[in-house]
Amino acid sequence: MAKIMVTGATGLLGRALVKQLQQVNVHQVIACGYSRVGEGEFQLDLTQNQQVTDFIALHQPEVIVHCAAERRPDISEQDPQAALALNAYATRTLAQAARDNCAWLLYISTDYVFDGTQPKYTEKAATNPVNFYGESKLLGEKIIGEVAAQFAVLRLPILYGEVQTLDESAVTVLLQSLQDGFKSSVVKPATLPVDDWAVRSPTSTEDIALAIEKLLNLQLAGEPITGYYHFSAAQTMTKYQMLLQMAKVLNVSTEHLQPVTSPTDSAKRPKDCTLSCERLMSLGIKSTLPFASGITKALQQSVVVQQWLKQIDERQG
């Protein structure tokens, strides 16, 4: 049994990881979040250095999984200092405190550290982020390596799972755009452009949580888990294709959707950051969950999606 501290435990990935660890009921989970903190969870502001240092010294976790991040590229572009505060500076404090208290740290990073021009990207591929979000996460990666060579980085692609708000995931947030096509009970909704240019690998947070648990168990069993690892679903899709699949699951019309084959986002996105997951596969850890079944479960579990469906029905009625 080990003490495992999870930052960002109230966020999309953090919740899934805490749930997975608590289900197996082997380890003591120290769940930390900044907002939406509930019973049995700890409120922790990662940008407050002394608070973080004191917390780790007090609780003495053996493992820290650093899920907390500013994950929104557009917001990172608008407020780079806030992105750096969480993705880089807070990461340094956390890593130093982990090292000083003999804890092992896993830093959750992103496929956006790559420029999207030469997929599939191996763990050794050259990084070259095209937006500030990617730059801030890459800086966090470098900090991890500088603080302690025995720490590890796990790069992930676009995530989906059970959400509390649609904008928690860059996948489910697309439903808001779909809803914009139904402003009233008109016969034909307005044409809606959707990105059909950037290629992504939507991956379930449940799938990732299971992979992280296996990775932690290897580390705790004495298998050195260090350096860079990639985890990703095998299927690649554009946002337009994701939206078509979600609309099919929810039985919502897509006739008004217009695929756009050129970049549409305000912050630059890479074309295709598909990851090669060779190192984890060599450890027997891989994703086998298809998007269709994974997103169906996520949408069915999310109360906010059911509320969204009700609004759609009312606007169409």
Side-chain angles (χ1 to χ4, degrees):
M1 181 178 182
K3 285 185 179 182
I4 300 177
M5 174 180 168
V6 179
T7 72
T10 58
L12 180 65
L13 177 58
R15 289 198 309 271
L17 178 57
V18 168
K19 182 178 179 180
Q20 175 64 33
L21 293 173
Q22 290 177 338
Q23 281 178 343
V24 297
N25 197 29
V26 173
H27 306 295
Q28 179 184 343
V29 182
I30 305 170
C32 302
Y34 180 68
S35 60
R36 298 177 294 186
V37 177
E39 185 177 354
E41 298 169 337
F42 296 91
Q43 186 172 41
L44 183 63
D45 185 348
L46 295 177
T47 65
Q48 299 300 309
N49 297 351
Q50 194 60 51
Q51 186 181 144
V52 172
T53 301
D54 292 345
F55 186 90
I56 293 174
L58 174 65
H59 291 275
Q60 290 291 304
E62 294 156 70
V63 169
I64 300 173
V65 184
H66 185 21
C67 298
E70 173 49 71
R71 58 170 183 79
R72 299 164 295 181
D74 296 330
I75 299 299
S76 297
E77 212 74 28
Q78 295 166 15
D79 192 351
Q81 286 307 309
L84 285 174
L86 191 53
N87 295 349
Y89 307 147
T91 296
R92 184 181 297 279
T93 302
L94 196 66
Q96 290 173 337
R99 178 199 59 198
D100 294 346
N101 289 273
C102 301
W104 177 78
L105 187 142
L106 178 65
Y107 175 70
I108 303 302
S109 192
T110 173
D111 58 351
Y112 270 23
V113 297
F114 300 112
D115 60 17
T117 61
Q118 295 180 311
K120 293 182 174 180
Y121 289 93
T122 70
E123 292 84 354
K124 294 181 180 179
T127 54
N128 184 35
V130 301
N131 57 37
F132 194 80
Y133 164 66
E135 291 177 10
S136 68
K137 292 298 289 182
L138 179 58
L139 181 54
E141 290 186 3
K142 292 177 178 178
I143 287 169
I144 292 297
E146 291 169 1
V147 172
Q150 70 269 27
F151 291 165
V153 172
L154 179 62
R155 293 173 177 146
L156 302 173
I158 188 172
L159 309 183
Y160 68 88
E162 181 180 354
V163 294
Q164 294 181 352
T165 61
L166 293 182
D167 61 1
E168 265 199 315
S169 162
V171 176
T172 55
V173 74
L174 297 172
L175 295 177
Q176 293 180 333
S177 298
L178 187 58
Q179 186 179 25
D180 288 342
F182 298 93
K183 294 296 186 183
S184 62
S185 58
V186 294
V187 176
K188 185 178 181 180
T191 299
L192 214 97
V194 182
D195 190 311
D196 197 30
W197 173 79
V199 177
R200 308 299 302 277
S201 303
T203 303
S204 163
T205 54
E206 283 193 6
D207 212 14
I208 297 167
L210 183 60
I212 292 176
E213 185 217 339
K214 292 177 179 178
L215 201 59
L216 301 187
N217 287 337
L218 288 172
Q219 168 69 22
L220 291 167
E223 175 85 27
I225 304 298
T226 63
Y228 296 94
Y229 296 86
H230 293 170
F231 185 82
S232 172
Q235 187 176 3
T236 58
M237 312 175 74
T238 64
K239 288 184 177 180
Y240 176 70
Q241 292 169 328
M242 295 179 214
L243 195 44
L244 290 182
Q245 182 63 56
M246 287 190 288
K248 181 179 179 181
V249 171
L250 299 172
N251 195 28
V252 177
S253 173
T254 60
E255 291 181 0
H256 60 292
L257 298 183
Q258 178 183 352
V260 179
T261 56
S262 57
T264 60
D265 296 291
S266 56
K268 188 177 181 182
R269 261 68 164 181
K271 168 74 171 172
D272 183 356
C273 285
T274 302
L275 299 172
S276 171
C277 305
E278 296 172 7
R279 289 195 73 196
L280 282 187
M281 290 179 68
S282 72
L283 297 173
I285 302 173
K286 63 180 293 187
S287 173
T288 58
L289 184 64
F291 182 72
S293 55
I295 196 64
T296 297
K297 183 177 181 181
L299 294 176
Q300 290 173 344
Q301 290 178 329
S302 301
V303 174
V304 68
V305 174
Q306 306 310 312
Q307 295 171 339
W308 174 87
L309 271 178
K310 184 178 180 181
Q311 293 174 351
I312 290 291
D313 289 339
E314 291 172 352
R315 292 184 181 192
Q316 288 181 297

